[in-house]
Amino acid sequence: LWSKWHFQDLVADWNWEGHENELMEVSVYSSCPQVELFCNGKSLGKKVTNRSNKFTAVWQVPFQAGELKATGIDGRKKIAIAELHSADKPTQIKLTADRTNIKADGQDLSYVTIELTDDKGYKNPNAENLLEFTIEGAGTIAGVGNANPVSLESFQQHQRKAWQGRCLVIIKSERKEGNIVLKVSSSGLASSEIMLKSN
């Protein structure tokens, strides 16, 4: 009671294989006056969100794999949409760099996010595959991470397990211009690579 800050054990996840038709509590946080929730295209009704309910609408939803979509409504206008998708087993490695051009000063960094996705491109939040990294060109790997608070893996090795379907590699430039190629591989998955420029 001494603090207004509370931790709620919630996850943005619609992957509950083996729990089909079990009731799941779905909470939607919204500043919109109303929210409508859909499961696989079927409306589960509208609910008001305001100060009285801490801008939270709650439904009890029998789990069915597919799409869970919340639509924020103001009057007759749909003004916001949030979606969760059930993902199949990962088949792809998706790489996204926050910057594809960095300075060749030996200090500049690019943060490359790695996601394990299924054939439809949906990230699998349960994937914990071991990922291996190789780098070529005018850069080095400054560090790796996965945000898992209990992981004891090294931040310096050229490998890391994914956590919640994601991982991060930090690329540092060298004091020379040129291309930097990061290649990521994992057993059973097609490898993927991304090219950065250092200039």
Side-chain angles (χ1 to χ4, degrees), residues 64-101:
Q64 297 173 1
E67 178 192 71
L68 196 65
K69 181 170 76 173
T71 302
I73 302 167
D74 188 355
R76 294 185 178 181
K77 246 183 172 179
K78 296 179 180 179
I79 56 176
I81 293 176
E83 297 176 358
L84 293 175
H85 296 271
S86 302
D88 293 323
K89 288 183 179 179
T91 58
Q92 304 174 80
I93 301 173
K94 179 183 175 184
L95 307 180
T96 308
D98 71 331
R99 298 163 63 215
T100 55
N101 285 280

Side-chain angles (χ1 to χ4, degrees), residues 30-36 46-49 57 71-75 79:
S30 175
S31 59
C32 302
Q34 274 190 316
V35 175
E36 185 172 11
K46 298 177 183 177
K47 295 199 176 185
V48 171
T49 49
T71 302
I73 302 167
D74 188 355
I79 56 176

Side-chain angles (χ1 to χ4, degrees), residues 9 15 48 74 86 97 103 106 117 129-130 151 154 167:
D9 192 14
N15 293 270
V48 171
D74 188 355
S86 302
K103 295 176 184 175
T117 66
N129 304 47
L130 179 65
S151 173
S154 168
C167 193

